[in-house]
Amino acid sequence: MALMTSRFSDGLAVGSDLVEAAQNAVGRALSRLSGQADLVCFFICGDDPEDVAKAGQAAMRIAPEAHVIGCSATGVIGDGQGVELTPAVSAWAATLDGARLTTFALETLAAEDRFVVVGLPERGGDDHVAILLADPYSFPTDAFVERSVDVLGDLPLIGGLANGLQGRGSVRLFADGEIYTEGAIGVLISGPIKISTVVSQGCRPIGPSMVVTAAEQNLLLELAGQPALARLEDIVSELDEDDRELVASGLQIGLAMDEYAERHERGDFLIRGVIGIDPEREAVAIGDIVEVGRTVRFQVRDAATADEDLYDLLDAHREELGKVEGALLFSCNGRGSAMFGTADHDPIALRDTLGPIGIAGFFAAGEVGPVAGHNHVHGFTASVLVFSSAAGAH
């Protein structure tokens, strides 16, 4: 549990009475704070969307003086553990001395031949980050996040795609007393506060880095002057049996984020999935559009690699930042017990590396976070928002 004197604290309650669970989880988080809560975040896993909505209303009423955001999910994280596919509520509370908070709700409107997102907060010169919680069924999160620089500049976005146990139509979003059944909500954090982000994609490279020499939309036609499929087959043929199994279970590809780096190693790539091959064209299809001249490197992912990646990133982050006081964790619903055999892996990793701090979050249907200064939507990722004690810019 969080320290009694902390400016950041968390709470978790498991039980089919979601209103009671929400009251208990938020109440515990608030009771462990050293001061008055400025921001409260909560996450609800429940069978019935209407019960989830009632629980969200109850959660928002408990902290009327604070800014409050939350969402439904298929699993929640709090009190050092994860709870998947079971009725539960997690909560996180923070005393953010001097920080400014602006909650927002986004919706998509049709305008001629395109969609327009409305509801964005106005930017200020001392903005640090925006937490974004979105309904994946009604909000164009990928397009919005990828183009966020056009309207938000270099503002980091971090968060996740909400969900519900009944899928489409069961998502509920909450912001400052309001309940939303579509769109996206969030909070912009500004002012004298030190915040940073960690995005663990959990992959390791196989084979060499290669320049894309021919491509068409999301089809890689040539890598380093040779047919892309032939290059991939050459790489796989040199792997050991264990890595070949990883390739068969889900091959990834990394897009280099800094084309001018002398070497491209783990952590230097934006990870995307390999979604198929075209034998006739000797092409490889991936989950993104890649331009000719981009450097790419095939990748694999397994529990051991994902574990090592998260611990290494958090260790480096802690050394850079000094004293960490709180964190929000947005972990893919494909991690947890599906990847590690336990729902507790990611929250335990944060406690192991960052200390006994207030940590809460949820298992997301996609995670939002910056890589190399650009915002992206990810899969199988742990995106973490870290709060440190020293004031100043992140």
Side-chain angles (χ1 to χ4, degrees), residues 128 191-195 389-394:
H128 290 294
I193 186 171
K194 188 168 185 180
I195 305 178
S389 55
H394 70 292

Side-chain angles (χ1 to χ4, degrees), residues 3 5-8 194-196 317-326 353-357 386-391:
L3 296 175
T5 57
S6 179
R7 296 192 304 129
F8 300 84
K194 188 168 185 180
I195 305 178
S196 53
H317 206 73
R318 181 193 58 195
E319 293 174 6
E320 177 185 339
L321 290 175
K323 182 174 174 55
V324 174
E325 292 191 286
T353 52
L354 304 181
I357 61 175
V386 181
F387 295 77
S388 301
S389 55

Side-chain angles (χ1 to χ4, degrees), residues 18-19 22 42 44 50-60 89 174:
L18 287 180
V19 170
F42 64 88
I44 304 173
E50 295 312 307
D51 289 344
V52 170
K54 292 175 183 176
Q57 284 181 319
M60 290 187 287
V89 180
F174 307 93

Side-chain angles (χ1 to χ4, degrees), residues 12-13 43-45 71 73-78 81-86 88-90 343 361-363:
L12 174 71
F43 311 101
I44 304 173
C45 178
C71 68
T74 57
V76 302
I77 295 166
Q81 61 187 294
V83 179
E84 299 171 315
L85 306 176
T86 300
V89 180
S90 67
F362 71 100
F363 290 99

Side-chain angles (χ1 to χ4, degrees), residues 73-282:
T74 57
V76 302
I77 295 166
D79 203 23
Q81 61 187 294
V83 179
E84 299 171 315
L85 306 176
T86 300
V89 180
S90 67
W92 181 88
T95 300
L96 304 174
D97 302 323
R100 294 195 322 282
L101 303 171
T102 306
T103 55
F104 57 86
L106 307 180
E107 61 177 319
T108 308
L109 302 178
E112 298 178 355
D113 59 344
R114 60 194 177 99
F115 290 99
V116 177
V117 173
V118 298
L120 285 167
E122 292 189 11
R123 285 294 315 274
D126 60 351
D127 297 338
H128 290 294
V129 69
I131 301 170
L132 181 71
L133 308 176
D135 172 15
Y137 304 103
S138 66
F139 188 75
T141 314
D142 286 88
F144 172 75
V145 169
E146 293 294 336
R147 298 189 59 186
S148 61
V149 67
D150 296 340
V151 288
L152 297 174
D154 60 355
L155 181 72
L157 297 177
I158 197 154
L161 303 187
N163 210 340
L165 291 180
Q166 295 185 24
R168 180 184 295 273
S170 67
V171 173
R172 297 293 180 270
L173 305 170
F174 307 93
D176 282 357
E178 299 293 328
I179 301 174
Y180 302 88
T181 58
E182 58 184 19
I185 58 95
V187 60
L188 175 65
I189 304 177
S190 315
I193 186 171
K194 188 168 185 180
I195 305 178
S196 53
T197 59
V198 176
V199 177
S200 173
Q201 300 179 88
C203 284
R204 61 179 166 86
I206 56 171
S209 295
M210 297 169 287
V211 174
V212 177
T213 48
E216 183 181 297
Q217 294 296 316
N218 71 323
L219 276 182
L220 300 178
L221 301 175
E222 285 186 7
L223 296 173
Q226 296 183 22
L229 183 56
R231 291 297 309 226
L232 174 58
E233 289 172 342
D234 288 343
I235 292 169
V236 173
S237 69
E238 296 177 1
L239 298 177
D240 61 30
E241 186 175 343
D242 289 342
D243 279 353
R244 288 186 189 181
E245 288 183 6
L246 292 179
V247 168
S249 64
L251 180 64
Q252 314 292 317
I253 193 166
L255 315 181
M257 299 306 293
D258 180 3
E259 290 292 343
Y260 300 103
E262 291 185 10
R263 300 178 64 189
H264 294 103
E265 303 298 338
R266 190 176 75 185
D268 296 330
F269 298 93
L270 172 66
I271 304 299
R272 291 294 185 248
V274 173
I275 60 178
I277 59 173
D278 184 339
E280 291 186 5
R281 303 183 70 182
E282 294 188 87

